[in-house]
Amino acid sequence: MSMTTAISRRRFLSTAANAGLVTAVSAPFYIRPGRARAAAGLADGMVGGPTGFDGAERYQYGPDTPEARAIEAVNALKGAGKAPDRIVLGLSDGSIGQLTQPFPAGAPSIKELWEAETGITLDIVGVPNGQEFTKVMQDVSTKGGAFDIYAVEWNRLGDLAETGGIVNLDDYVAAHRPEWDNAERGYVGGAQGVSLLNNYRGSTYGVSLDGDFQIWNHRTDLFSDPAEQKAFADKHGYELAPPRTWKQHDEIAAFFHRPDKGLFGSTDLRNQGWGYTNWYQRFVSMASPNQFLFADDGSALINSEAGISATQEYVDSLAHHSPDAISWGWPEQYGNFASGGAAMTCAFSNLPKFLDNAGNEGSKVTGLVGSHLPPGREIDGSLIRRTVLWLNLSASVSSQSKHPEASYLLLQWLGSSRIYSWMTANPGGYFDPFQLSNFADPLVRQTYHDYHMDVVRESVARTVPTINYPGATAFHNALDENLVAALTGSKTAAEAMADTEKQWARVARRIGEDKLVEAIKANKAAWPTITDPIG
Amino acid sequence: MNRSLPFEIFRYAAILSLVALSLVPTLWMASMAFKPIAEWSATGADLTWWPKSPTLDNFRFLFGESSSELIVALDRTAGQPILSSLLSAVFGTLIAMISGTSAAYGLSRFGSGGNLPLALIQLRIFPPMAVMIPVMIMWAFLGLIDTWYGLALVYGIVTMPFAFWLMKTFFDDMPREIEDAALVEGCSRLRVFWKITLPMMRPALASSALFVFILNWSDYLIALLLTTRDWVTIPVYMASLSSSMTGQLYGAKAALGLIAAIPPVILGIAIQKHLVRGLTFGALKQ
Amino acid sequence: MASIAFNNVTKRFGDTIAVNNLSFEIADSEFFCLFGPPLSGKTTILKLILGLEKPDDGEILIDGRPVNHVSPARRNVAMVFQNLALFPHMSAEQNVRFPLAERRMDESHIASRVADVAAKLHIGHILHKSPAQLSGGERQRVAIARALVRDPVAYLMDDPISALDARLREETRVELKRIQNELGRTMVYVTHDQEEAMSVADRIAVLEAGSIRQIGAPSEIYDNPHSSYVARMLGAPAMNLLELDKGRASALEGALPLSGLAVPDGAAQIGIRPEDLLVGPALAAGQGLVRVYEVEPLGGVTVVTLQAGETSLRAMVRGQPKIDPDSQVSLSVAAGQACFFAGDGQAVRI
Amino acid sequence: MTVAALDTRTEAMEHEDARDSRKLGFWLTLPAQLLVLFIAVFPILMQVYISLTDWSPLDGIDWWQAHQLWNTFANYTDLLEDNRFWSALGRTALVMAICVPCEFLLGLGLAILFVDNFPGRRFLYSVLLVPMMVVPAVAGYMFFMLFQSGGPVNDILSFFTGSPVRIAWLSDPDLALFAVIVSDIWQWTPLMFLILLAGLVGVPEDQLRAATLLGASWTTRFITIVLPRMKTIIIIALAIRVIENFKVFDNFYIMTGGGPGVATETISIYIYKVTQQELIWGYVAAVALVILITLSVVSAYAIKRMSRSRELSR
């Protein structure tokens, strides 16, 4: 299958070198990229974009698009001698493939295209998964200047902005108009979506390169098995189908939980830093339209009936999880699901892209994956279904970059609807779709599967942000520590919530309460209001 | 000692079972390194002790040949991290051995050094994690972040106490008359150290250097904090070996783990006969 | 060609005084023996001469020149250490040529000197071996060769042959004496073996606790010890010492007639060498007798141990006379062959 | 034959000679002294300074401006109430109290089994040293897999018990602690074995033989002759492991990340998390200084004790 064609490193290096060479020699022609490249297969009226494969024109751009403006502005900087020879981008190891591997067959890679259009080398430095923030803080606190662009979890945006380690991008946004809120192609939820993903305290500090919305998956072979359906209906009195409520979810998971046969009911619980997406989903759906974590005055709302019962449910759900659940990371979760080890799971939206993939010979669930909306609760006559945005890679420009504007322009080019759709369709990395144009794109839909894409789009509309203001990690660590204590039985649900509240108060004191209240308010604006009908 | 038959049987049984037990993790790693992806990708699901279809794919992958099954693009092969580990551990060992050995000699022969022994013990006991913030800031100021020599310098300093204590006991053990003889026969103090003492200490130097090297080679924490991209070491690089499709690349990790065991094992074999004597801190003098 | 002199030299190690205000002179070309029990300061004296230790007080002169501040390398003194101190990482030949090579002599000169000394000590056939491969005697000779290979002003030897077996020791001793004679060089020789000291030395210095008790030719010290300490140090079996009470050897209660001897005033002890203690048959009645405790025939002489009350005496008798253990014998002292010591151990003369 | 006279050099040169050898000692220890100062002076001064402030890299000001966030001793009083810190410290002590004796007893047992020659001794001896050569981070990954509920450890247990064992080692706080302790014991018993074997081989054989002739039983011989002779080496072996075990990080962190919850969080992992995730560096500095002072006092005392007992035994 051509989708999975990987190129060898050596071949890749030589292509990259050639591209660089050609550009260097002919750089002057690229001040107006469109004209120079028209002969190379661009569609009529297009000034840039990938070529060489069927449907390439969807990712090409005409003049006065965010992508074209970015390229033009970079080349203008270049002409003025204000552009660098290379831009260093620190990126999670697992995502690099999306920038360096050509996709689909016949296409250049993202990196090659950027270098061809601008003549600026894109130097991608891999950062181990999970160490992104550590590496960035090292660079910020030691003034290392190793990167022009940092790509870190979205939750850290507030922390990073407060360090002064990343650049406020407002002026560049105003000057180059990325059109992120475009109603047809832009972020889900328009300006609200942009504020959710890219802004901190009203200013743009990041450019989202990801859509880490936690999406539910199930095994279609199990759910459509007549024998299973009959057995389930006999037992619970309703049809076996992807769950609409948490109660159904827990019953179905318990029904399928057969550890001695290598099948777990659900596998969304994971270890430190990953596991509480499940808790979040249960907690925020406790009120209509949302159960918030903090009140407007900054006091925590978790040590409450809602918090305790969400925690109790969360602890009880361990019964239908892998016994190893709380030592797993997502890699173990994916591996288990790929080997057919779970009936349901909640994961990043790329799970079907990787595991329901004929190119993945290790996967036993190819063709057997289905997606469904998050379970919810019936409150005041409607169904509150909520999921969370967790992790999500965002790129920011380092304050130490000598060429912040050129770096921003790379991000504008990369993060705009046409190039991003093309990039996210590439199965070689973690970047997931999050823009309207992504969800509609046939190539993306082919990679991510039709059945999944619509569920993702609808889940996005039901997504609440996790904590993304200063102290995010400290808040999450305290919550995590207490949740695990509850899971392992060393604390009751009530004790866990009470202790979390105490520790949160201490974190808040250190951060500064004023700063926090403001950030909490800004964050609240990004919470969804959509509700579903019952039944 | 007793040589009764039941005793001998018990002895062999005890030895063999302990040896077998200690081998389990290593064998598991070795078998993992030669397993194709299908045999390790699912966590614990398909437990096989031996690779059903042994392959060198994991090693090939580390050195740049990407496997069609793994759809993962490494931004670099294992070559650079191996080089980084080698350079930083070797030069760290040199720094530790040179400064530690000469200080040990100075203290053993001339009583110089004052509180050095205590300072060195404290240096060794102190968890490096607790000073990493100022060290990071210092290293940044000196431009040593993400360089192999910056890493080698830290390694040299934190393992120097080991080199110092080991070598000091050897110097204390060495008969003074041999050096005296060389002095009488026309050598200067420094020349005695160079021509007589050091060559005589070759076995001691070799075994001390091996232990210091193993300590440096094993480090994960310091390299994690002092390198960012060009000079990450093997243990840090190992964290990069994961793929979006299959999760942790245990096969590749195991293969790299096997490669990482090669230098210490080779050194260990090379100095095997001095090994036992090497770590006793002079306690055998009696 | 050099004399070596100590002028009021003192050396302390912490609270211990290793060498106490020592003054003596070793003549040029002399075979000088330092003799004393362990820890009496013998080795320290050698180290002071070598410059491996610096005196705390006093002055050391070599050939009349003060050398307190001269480094060992420049004193041009050769040394054979007690534990030999061969360089274990070098072959025997490299060991032997080391002193010359360190002095940057030219290769042909070195080669001929090494060949010379190897021939002299009969070690030509083992030069290629490493010290670990050599026997004790071979190592000894390599160490001596390393000292002899160059032309120092003096040779110092610290008990160099103590590790050898008796026969080899005797051979080497003779050889050393011969070589020293031949080279005509000053030799300072440390030993704890009185026989060795007696046989090779031109002069012996008897040491006790960092001080020299007596210096002199072997025969002079043997015949005329200045103190009971020195008297007992030399001679085997050691000199018999008996308490005197009113001119009589009190322990023997008249069994030892001293009437033929002139006992000087103030003498508290009488010293009789075993060969001067004459054993005779029990003859005259009324003569005190002593019981024979043990008889050791040694070939040329026989050592007879006698027991009188708490006191035991040893006599050395020529040949192998027939004396039975537990028999009673009479004793006498050879004419004029007794020494007398005062209460403080100093010799008392008439 | 010519006789070389005493080397004649100027007095000045001779005096220089004596000074040289005194100076040599100074120069030889100098590099080590400088390196220690280099790694100690600035970090300690900086830690003292920022430990009195609320400074964090998140504040966006450089560390020397930390006085703007002066809090006097707030970090130190916080430390007194920081249960996570104290429990991490207690856990580190607990890990040490289990690991070191286990490694010691296993190492001693192995050393006793290996002290006499037997066919295959050399080979088995080399095999036993292999765990020491495995990079701890690698060992961490390996043990993570070994202890999965469907992993090899349970497989072996199933084999011996005859019924399928599916223990979730790393998800249970107590079992996870057990698992990381096992990995530490696996990795470091060989070192103990190596040191103790050297000690055993060093016990003079004639003493043992004499005791055997006198009819002493094996245990008596071991307790009355072997152990006393090995006293120093046992202390050294224990000291090395106590020192290194106190700092344990790599394999623990990779196996469990300190989890589940904080069940395997040692002091190094605790500091790592607070440093790298919560970024409250002023507080970390206070923690570091408290540890430094405690360790200095303890080690100075231990050295004094040890050198005294050594003098006594001489």
Side-chain angles (χ1 to χ4, degrees):
Chain A
M1 192 165 161
S2 63
M3 268 174 64
T4 60
T5 313
I7 67 168
S8 81
R9 178 180 159 81
R10 198 175 302 116
R11 217 178 84 212
F12 156 62
L13 282 177
S14 65
T15 14
N18 288 342
L21 193 66
V22 170
T23 332
V25 172
S26 52
F29 293 103
Y30 285 91
I31 292 173
R32 291 296 303 275
R35 210 172 286 164
R37 283 173 43 85
L42 288 174
D44 282 350
M46 295 295 152
V47 297
T51 54
F53 58 98
D54 283 347
E57 66 281 353
R58 285 197 309 276
Y59 313 111
Q60 296 170 359
Y61 34 84
D64 209 26
T65 55
E67 290 90 342
R69 280 196 296 276
I71 296 296
E72 211 156 346
V74 166
N75 285 316
L77 285 173
K78 235 174 118 78
K82 288 181 191 160
D85 292 333
R86 60 174 200 152
I87 292 176
V88 184
L89 165 62
L91 197 60
S92 314
D93 283 309
S95 293
I96 294 170
Q98 274 175 315
L99 274 76
T100 57
Q101 292 177 355
F103 174 83
S109 71
I110 297 269
K111 178 178 149 74
E112 285 162 350
L113 181 63
W114 164 263
E115 289 173 351
E117 294 205 357
T118 63
I120 295 174
T121 305
L122 179 53
D123 188 356
I124 303 166
V125 175
V127 178
N129 221 262
Q131 290 178 14
E132 294 91 348
F133 187 58
T134 305
K135 289 290 165 202
V136 169
M137 279 316 298
Q138 274 173 32
D139 196 61
V140 171
S141 54
T142 62
K143 305 262 184 291
F147 308 97
D148 290 299
I149 299 174
Y150 303 129
V152 291
E153 303 109 88
W154 163 87
N155 300 68
R156 318 279 196 177
L157 214 53
D159 272 341
L160 269 182
E162 292 292 340
T163 64
I166 55 176
V167 175
N168 181 326
L169 301 173
D170 285 349
D171 292 346
Y172 303 137
V173 170
H176 303 293
R177 289 176 288 126
E179 299 177 23
W180 291 322
D181 54 356
N182 184 298
E184 286 158 39
R185 314 189 53 94
Y187 292 18
V188 177
Q192 189 202 14
V194 176
S195 123
L196 167 67
L197 289 168
N198 294 357
N199 293 7
Y200 169 68
R201 288 168 86 184
S203 288
T204 305
Y205 280 97
V207 178
S208 175
L209 291 180
D210 206 349
D212 279 343
F213 305 96
Q214 299 295 310
I215 310 294
W216 285 90
N217 296 105
H218 60 269
R219 287 270 301 285
T220 52
D221 56 329
L222 294 175
F223 276 76
S224 61
D225 183 333
E228 302 283 8
Q229 285 176 335
K230 183 171 181 316
F232 184 84
D234 289 351
K235 189 172 178 192
H236 291 287
Y238 61 97
E239 294 295 309
L240 174 62
R244 292 174 53 82
T245 65
W246 282 107
K247 184 167 175 297
Q248 287 175 5
H249 169 84
D250 292 340
E251 284 169 357
I252 295 169
F255 174 73
F256 280 117
H257 190 62
R258 299 154 196 170
D260 48 329
K261 299 206 176 89
L263 184 68
F264 302 121
S266 182
T267 53
D268 55 300
L269 272 185
R270 285 149 294 174
N271 73 350
Q272 284 106 325
W274 306 92
Y276 37 78
T277 55
N278 177 300
W279 179 88
Y280 255 110
Q281 293 179 24
R282 291 178 190 265
F283 176 77
V284 297
S285 61
M286 283 275 179
S288 176
N290 296 296
Q291 169 66 52
F292 292 107
L293 295 163
F294 291 94
D296 285 348
D297 63 358
S299 60
L301 298 173
I302 48 165
N303 188 16
S304 61
E305 200 182 317
I308 294 165
S309 77
T311 307
Q312 193 56 51
E313 280 182 22
Y314 177 71
V315 172
D316 294 343
S317 77
L318 198 55
H320 56 247
H321 276 90
S322 159
D324 291 324
I326 47 181
S327 66
W328 276 6
W330 67 263
E332 288 75 27
Q333 176 200 15
Y334 276 38
N336 170 273
F337 199 77
S339 66
M344 292 183 286
T345 198
C346 183
F348 301 113
S349 56
N350 57 23
L351 183 135
K353 149 162 126 175
F354 295 131
L355 305 185
D356 187 1
N357 179 336
N360 184 349
E361 290 165 25
S363 174
K364 294 180 185 158
V365 295
T366 306
L368 308 176
V369 182
S371 310
H372 59 275
L373 288 176
R377 293 177 204 283
E378 291 169 17
I379 296 171
D380 300 340
S382 54
L383 189 62
I384 310 297
R385 317 179 80 157
R386 292 290 177 262
T387 185
V388 289
L389 177 65
W390 177 236
L391 283 188
N392 204 69
L393 218 56
S394 280
S396 304
V397 176
S398 164
S399 304
Q400 298 168 72
S401 171
K402 294 192 180 68
H403 302 278
E405 187 162 12
S407 302
Y408 165 76
L409 289 166
L410 166 64
L411 292 180
Q412 174 167 329
W413 181 77
L414 210 55
S416 292
S417 57
R418 294 165 188 85
I419 293 296
Y420 192 83
S421 290
W422 175 44
M423 179 162 77
T424 192
N426 186 332
Y430 301 130
F431 296 146
D432 293 326
F434 67 99
Q435 297 159 331
L436 293 169
S437 61
N438 310 153
F439 295 125
D441 185 84
L443 207 52
V444 176
R445 293 182 75 88
Q446 189 191 338
T447 304
Y448 278 79
H449 304 294
D450 273 326
Y451 67 79
H452 191 52
M453 243 7 353
D454 299 329
V455 170
V456 173
R457 194 185 58 237
E458 289 311 307
S459 293
V460 171
R462 289 160 179 79
T463 295
V464 303
T466 43
I467 297 173
N468 73 330
Y469 19 92
T473 317
F475 283 120
H476 280 142
N477 277 359
L479 176 61
D480 190 44
E481 185 189 316
N482 285 294
L483 284 179
V484 176
L487 279 178
T488 57
S490 55
K491 282 182 187 173
T492 65
E495 285 166 358
M497 288 299 105
D499 290 350
T500 307
E501 187 188 29
K502 253 183 256 165
Q503 282 169 261
W504 278 12
R506 200 178 123 202
V507 177
R509 223 179 24 243
R510 279 189 181 277
I511 301 294
E513 271 141 11
D514 302 345
K515 207 192 273 181
L516 202 61
V517 167
E518 196 187 323
I520 288 171
K521 275 187 198 145
N523 174 283
K524 214 174 235 179
W527 289 53
T529 51
I530 189 169
T531 61
D532 291 295
I534 295 175
Chain B
M1 301 213 175
N2 302 343
R3 289 283 179 194
S4 63
L5 187 63
F7 176 80
E8 283 302 291
I9 291 172
F10 164 77
R11 208 164 89 129
Y12 265 96
I15 289 174
L16 288 178
S17 54
L18 283 172
V19 168
L21 214 55
S22 90
L23 264 182
V24 166
T26 321
L27 287 182
W28 176 253
M29 172 168 83
S31 121
M32 188 71 77
F34 294 100
K35 281 180 183 172
I37 173 168
E39 293 180 41
W40 51 254
S41 58
T43 307
D46 261 353
L47 181 72
T48 54
W49 281 91
W50 302 107
K52 281 181 240 165
S53 34
T55 168
L56 289 175
D57 279 358
N58 294 318
F59 294 91
R60 290 203 197 98
F61 173 74
L62 285 177
F63 294 99
E65 200 169 299
S66 69
S67 145
S68 66
E69 296 164 343
L70 292 179
I71 319 185
V72 56
L74 296 169
D75 68 323
R76 76 207 84 168
T77 66
Q80 179 80 3
I82 290 173
L83 179 69
S84 171
S85 268
L86 279 174
L87 282 175
S88 55
V90 165
F91 281 87
T93 305
L94 281 179
I95 292 172
M97 288 305 296
I98 291 171
S99 59
T101 303
S102 66
Y105 190 70
L107 190 76
S108 182
R109 288 293 180 273
F110 308 105
S112 314
N115 272 332
L116 195 61
L118 180 62
L120 288 177
I121 283 199
Q122 285 166 349
L123 183 59
R124 187 68 209 162
I125 298 182
F126 198 60
M129 187 56 237
V131 281
M132 282 321 278
I133 296 165
V135 169
M136 271 164 66
I137 285 169
M138 243 170 113
W139 254 236
F141 178 76
L142 298 169
L144 295 174
I145 294 272
D146 202 26
T147 59
W148 63 265
Y149 43 87
L151 207 50
L153 183 56
V154 191
Y155 285 170
I157 295 173
V158 300
T159 52
M160 187 232 302
F162 237 89
F164 171 84
W165 281 105
L166 280 168
M167 290 312 297
K168 182 174 175 304
T169 56
F170 284 112
F171 287 134
D172 288 349
D173 258 4
M174 178 182 162
R176 296 283 293 258
E177 284 83 359
I178 293 184
E179 290 187 336
D180 286 348
L183 277 177
V184 170
E185 299 305 350
C187 292
S188 68
R189 264 270 165 218
L190 205 58
R191 196 166 160 75
V192 170
F193 182 53
W194 189 247
K195 268 228 62 176
I196 304 295
T197 316
L198 281 185
M200 273 182 67
M201 287 284 130
R202 220 175 279 150
L205 286 167
S207 53
S208 307
L210 172 73
F211 288 109
V212 170
F213 178 83
I214 287 180
L215 288 176
N216 290 336
W217 182 255
S218 302
D219 166 75
Y220 169 63
L221 181 61
I222 296 173
L224 181 64
L225 297 177
L226 292 184
T227 59
T228 45
R229 37 181 290 215
D230 295 338
W231 294 101
V232 299
T233 58
I234 291 175
V236 179
Y237 174 76
M238 202 165 278
S240 311
L241 297 173
S242 66
S243 115
S244 42
M245 193 164 283
T246 46
Q248 304 276 17
L249 301 174
Y250 284 113
K253 282 182 205 261
L256 187 57
L258 273 195
I259 294 172
I262 292 174
V265 166
I266 288 181
L267 284 178
I269 290 171
I271 66 156
Q272 200 188 12
K273 57 180 179 198
H274 310 305
L275 212 54
V276 169
R277 191 71 183 74
L279 248 194
T280 54
F281 290 89
L284 288 186
K285 224 186 314 177
Q286 311 280 357
Chain C
M1 300 272 198
S3 59
I4 297 167
F6 274 43
N7 287 339
N8 306 100
V9 172
T10 298
K11 176 70 190 172
R12 294 179 202 91
F13 295 108
D15 295 337
T16 342
I17 299 179
V19 168
N20 191 7
N21 195 22
L22 210 58
S23 297
F24 65 88
E25 186 164 353
I26 302 167
D28 182 25
S29 304
E30 186 175 21
F31 199 121
F32 189 83
C33 225
L34 292 167
F35 174 66
L39 300 176
S40 57
K42 304 177 302 243
T43 303
T44 308
I45 294 174
L46 289 193
K47 287 192 169 175
L48 286 164
I49 298 172
L50 286 168
L52 294 173
E53 302 289 356
K54 308 271 177 222
D56 295 315
D57 262 315
E59 199 173 31
I60 297 167
L61 301 117
I62 296 180
D63 213 12
R65 282 173 46 98
V67 293
N68 284 22
H69 296 295
V70 178
S71 75
R74 293 186 187 147
R75 293 194 184 189
N76 200 16
V77 179
M79 168 87 173
V80 177
F81 288 83
Q82 182 168 21
N83 64 5
L84 306 180
L86 290 176
F87 307 132
H89 58 295
M90 298 182 183
S91 71
E93 180 178 12
Q94 285 171 316
N95 265 284
V96 174
R97 62 188 295 139
F98 184 83
L100 304 181
E102 278 307 300
R103 289 178 166 74
R104 310 276 153 90
M105 305 217 167
D106 61 76
E107 189 52 38
S108 62
H109 180 68
I110 295 177
S112 79
R113 289 289 300 164
V114 171
D116 264 7
V117 78
K120 201 174 286 174
L121 288 161
H122 318 296
I123 53 169
H125 60 296
I126 52 161
L127 279 181
H128 62 283
K129 294 187 179 175
S130 78
Q133 296 168 303
L134 301 178
S135 73
E138 287 168 338
R139 259 181 254 168
Q140 201 101 43
R141 277 181 287 162
V142 171
I144 294 170
R146 188 175 66 185
L148 296 182
V149 75
R150 64 188 170 98
D151 275 336
V153 294
Y155 297 108
L156 311 187
M157 299 202 179
D158 189 355
D159 225 349
I161 59 181
S162 58
L164 302 187
D165 65 61
R167 212 173 57 84
L168 205 52
R169 202 153 65 202
E170 210 158 305
E171 271 178 36
T172 317
R173 194 159 77 199
V174 172
E175 209 166 349
L176 276 177
K177 180 72 184 165
R178 179 179 60 79
I179 290 168
Q180 192 261 346
N181 262 332
E182 224 170 84
L183 296 175
R185 212 58 49 81
T186 310
M187 170 85 90
V188 184
Y189 192 97
V190 160
T191 182
H192 65 276
D193 179 335
Q194 56 91 26
E195 192 185 329
E196 200 168 296
M198 298 278 291
S199 66
V200 295
D202 293 331
R203 279 198 301 156
I204 300 177
V206 181
L207 289 159
E208 183 190 15
S211 298
I212 292 183
R213 294 299 173 213
Q214 189 168 0
I215 285 189
S219 60
E220 183 192 336
I221 294 181
Y222 189 80
D223 292 339
N224 196 8
H226 287 178
S227 65
S228 57
Y229 171 78
V230 174
R232 281 189 67 86
M233 285 295 294
L234 287 179
M239 178 182 269
N240 297 299
L241 281 179
L242 295 165
E243 298 300 318
L244 286 178
D245 184 23
K246 293 179 196 132
R248 292 155 52 96
S250 51
L252 295 185
E253 311 229 346
L256 184 64
L258 298 179
S259 47
L261 299 166
V263 178
D265 290 343
Q269 279 185 314
I270 180 171
I272 310 157
R273 299 240 172 242
E275 64 268 29
D276 297 328
L277 188 63
L278 307 177
V279 178
L283 286 177
Q287 185 187 17
L289 296 179
V290 181
R291 191 173 65 89
V292 175
Y293 182 73
E294 199 177 17
V295 180
E296 306 166 69
L298 298 177
V301 291
T302 298
V303 175
V304 182
T305 307
L306 306 148
Q307 190 78 34
E310 293 291 288
T311 314
S312 75
L313 295 172
R314 311 190 92 187
M316 201 144 69
V317 186
R318 218 171 246 289
Q320 301 182 14
K322 191 152 169 37
I323 301 175
D324 295 326
D326 278 338
S327 64
Q328 302 276 320
V329 294
S330 64
L331 292 177
S332 59
V333 182
Q337 296 299 333
C339 310
F340 296 93
F341 306 102
D344 62 357
Q346 292 303 309
V348 188
R349 311 212 177 257
I350 302 161
Chain D
M1 196 191 268
T2 57
V3 174
L6 180 69
D7 202 339
T8 49
R9 310 232 176 179
T10 63
E11 287 290 314
M13 281 177 76
E14 289 168 0
H15 280 283
E16 213 166 82
D17 227 43
R19 263 210 310 276
D20 271 358
S21 106
R22 277 199 301 274
K23 268 190 182 168
L24 187 60
F26 169 79
W27 288 110
L28 283 170
T29 48
L30 190 66
Q33 305 257 35
L34 287 180
L35 286 174
V36 170
L37 287 179
F38 177 67
I39 207 70
V41 172
F42 171 76
I44 289 177
L45 291 179
M46 177 184 162
Q47 302 260 51
V48 169
Y49 171 52
I50 65 172
S51 77
L52 300 171
T53 71
D54 263 335
W55 183 69
S56 151
L58 299 180
D59 295 313
I61 56 172
D62 286 311
W63 67 271
W64 57 86
Q65 297 168 316
H67 56 84
Q68 296 171 16
L69 300 160
W70 195 261
N71 71 3
T72 323
F73 292 112
N75 285 323
Y76 293 91
T77 47
D78 275 4
L79 183 62
L80 290 176
E81 294 164 7
D82 186 351
N83 288 331
R84 201 169 141 209
F85 167 76
W86 294 108
S87 69
L89 207 58
R91 198 171 297 110
T92 309
L94 175 70
V95 166
M96 201 189 282
I98 299 175
C99 284
V100 178
C102 285
E103 285 159 21
F104 172 72
L105 290 176
L106 273 174
L108 185 65
L110 279 168
I112 291 170
L113 291 172
F114 270 77
V115 76
D116 294 331
N117 209 353
F118 58 84
R121 178 178 181 248
R122 248 184 109 78
F123 172 74
L124 291 174
Y125 159 84
S126 312
V127 170
L128 272 179
L129 298 186
V130 166
M132 223 168 72
M133 313 286 184
V134 174
V135 175
V138 178
Y141 286 112
M142 292 306 126
F143 273 87
F144 175 79
M145 296 182 66
L146 287 169
F147 278 107
Q148 288 298 305
S149 64
V153 169
N154 281 345
D155 193 48
I156 296 173
L157 290 178
S158 305
F159 175 80
F160 282 110
T161 58
S163 57
V165 174
R166 291 187 73 86
I167 302 171
W169 296 95
L170 299 179
S171 300
D172 178 287
D174 297 329
L175 295 179
L177 194 62
F178 175 80
V180 291
I181 285 174
V182 166
S183 83
D184 193 80
I185 292 175
W186 173 78
Q187 185 131 45
W188 294 113
T189 297
L191 184 70
M192 276 288 187
F193 163 65
L194 192 61
I195 300 177
L196 293 174
L197 182 61
L200 270 184
V201 170
V203 173
E205 200 136 309
D206 47 345
Q207 287 190 12
L208 284 174
R209 205 162 292 140
T212 316
L213 290 176
L214 290 172
S217 75
W218 191 89
T219 10
T220 322
R221 268 179 289 157
F222 190 76
I223 292 170
T224 56
I225 300 176
V226 180
L227 278 185
R229 298 231 36 144
M230 287 178 65
K231 193 178 147 204
T232 324
I233 210 163
I234 288 173
I235 291 175
I236 286 166
L238 291 175
I240 292 179
R241 278 312 297 148
V242 165
I243 289 175
E244 300 297 310
N245 191 272
F246 180 74
K247 304 183 289 187
V248 66
F249 178 85
D250 299 359
N251 45 349
F252 281 41
Y253 184 72
I254 287 172
M255 269 175 84
T256 65
V262 293
T264 55
E265 197 170 273
T266 61
I267 194 71
S268 284
I269 295 179
Y270 167 78
I271 300 176
Y272 177 82
K273 283 191 185 165
V274 176
T275 307
Q276 294 301 327
Q277 299 178 353
E278 300 179 20
L279 299 157
I280 41 180
W281 288 6
Y283 182 67
V284 174
V287 171
L289 284 172
V290 167
I291 294 177
L292 176 67
I293 291 167
T294 315
L295 287 182
S296 301
V297 172
V298 169
S299 59
Y301 176 74
I303 284 190
K304 214 170 144 192
R305 278 289 304 265
M306 237 156 79
S307 57
R308 194 186 305 151
S309 77
R310 227 182 232 192
E311 268 164 32
L312 284 179
S313 72
R314 239 170 223 168

